[in-house]
Amino acid sequence: MTSAHKPKRRPRTTSKSQAAYDAVRERILDRTYEPGYRLVLQTIADELKCSVVPVREAIRRLEAEGLVEFTQNKGATVAEVDTELYLNTMQTLAILEGTATALAAEHISASDVQAARDLNEQMRALLADFDPAEFTRLNTELHALLYSDCPNTHLLDLVHRGWTRMDAIRVSSFDSIPARAHDSAAEHAELIEAIAAKKPATEIEVLARAHRIHTLNAYLEAMGRPASSL
């Protein structure tokens, strides 16, 4: 069969359930729907111009991810921010991501090291007129770049799950502790240069883990909570 007679593939379309999930999730993460906001299925369906069925499916998925919770009196609402869950997730990420970053250091390319430097410079440029949302976005991108070459795929999966949980918690540390941003960028530079210099994996892991714990402890201090002993 010639290419001219091959049947054309139809472009993939996003299901209504997926579209509803994407829309509601985005509104939760950008705080259009604040914590405690009541999610009325019919109202959301009308806004998205779909039936209630895909919205209900989307809400169930978001409940499984921790973004939505059900209460007897209110029904489906946007989950409240959980400081205890933030503490536990950050402690876990300090260990897992620290190890993943150390393992990835042996495999990271020179171009990715430079890309990490460039991202950190973009973050430093934000310090004068601080934008916590953009700083957080760049921070996530930078760390993902540093651990992405980790050869242990199981460990990488656990790190990705940790970051997914951070999305669900919806705590941007730099909203609450903007002063931490300056030290964070300095610690990034130290970590990046340790990787560039091919420092021992144990040293890189210590730097990566300490960096995450410093952010956690700055946040806990701002919340009036005791520092992590990790």
Side-chain angles (χ1 to χ4, degrees):
M1 183 182 292
T2 65
S3 59
H5 294 91
K6 287 181 181 178
K8 294 182 178 179
R9 293 182 179 179
R10 294 181 179 179
R12 292 183 179 180
T13 56
T14 302
S15 70
K16 292 180 180 179
S17 175
Q18 182 65 42
Y21 166 83
D22 291 340
V24 176
R25 187 175 189 275
E26 181 179 357
R27 293 177 185 184
I28 292 173
L29 294 181
D30 70 11
R31 291 189 175 256
T32 298
Y33 296 159
E34 292 278 356
Y37 181 86
R38 187 182 175 201
L39 299 166
V40 181
L41 302 189
Q42 187 60 61
T43 300
I44 296 172
D46 291 343
E47 292 172 353
L48 300 179
K49 296 180 171 55
C50 66
S51 71
V52 170
V53 174
V55 176
R56 183 179 293 112
E57 292 174 355
I59 295 299
R60 285 173 180 164
R61 285 179 62 185
L62 292 165
E63 181 191 16
E65 293 179 4
L67 286 170
V68 170
E69 57 189 17
F70 281 88
T71 57
Q72 187 171 0
N73 296 327
K74 292 185 178 180
T77 59
V78 177
E80 299 288 344
V81 173
D82 188 335
T83 302
E84 194 66 29
L85 183 57
Y86 174 79
L87 165 63
N88 294 336
T89 304
M90 283 288 279
Q91 286 179 329
T92 303
L93 275 173
I95 297 169
L96 297 178
E97 189 183 328
T99 304
T101 301
L103 292 175
E106 182 181 349
H107 306 279
I108 193 169
S109 66
S111 61
D112 279 348
V113 170
Q114 186 56 50
R117 290 189 182 110
D118 293 342
L119 284 168
N120 200 41
E121 287 307 310
Q122 291 179 52
M123 295 172 75
R124 279 178 162 156
L126 294 172
L127 295 176
D129 186 15
F130 192 56
D131 181 345
E134 181 63 6
F135 192 92
T136 298
R137 186 190 70 78
L138 292 171
N139 182 66
T140 303
E141 186 176 347
L142 186 153
H143 283 284
L145 188 61
L146 294 182
Y147 64 67
S148 61
D149 287 317
C150 174
N152 186 322
T153 56
H154 179 62
L155 178 58
L156 264 183
D157 178 61
L158 293 174
V159 173
H160 291 153
R161 290 186 188 191
W163 278 106
T164 298
R165 192 172 296 111
M166 288 297 291
D167 282 343
I169 299 168
R170 300 179 321 289
V171 172
S172 170
S173 303
F174 300 107
D175 278 326
S176 304
I177 46 171
R180 166 66 186 150
H182 183 275
D183 289 341
S184 182
E187 290 167 14
H188 287 160
E190 184 180 9
L191 176 59
I192 293 166
E193 295 314 313
I195 292 171
K198 303 295 183 182
K199 295 287 187 179
T202 52
E203 184 174 333
I204 291 169
E205 182 174 359
V206 166
L207 288 172
R209 183 179 298 192
H211 169 68
R212 183 69 56 211
I213 292 300
H214 291 161
T215 298
L216 169 59
N217 284 339
Y219 178 80
L220 291 175
E221 182 180 356
M223 296 296 105
R225 296 282 299 274
S228 167
S229 58
L230 185 64

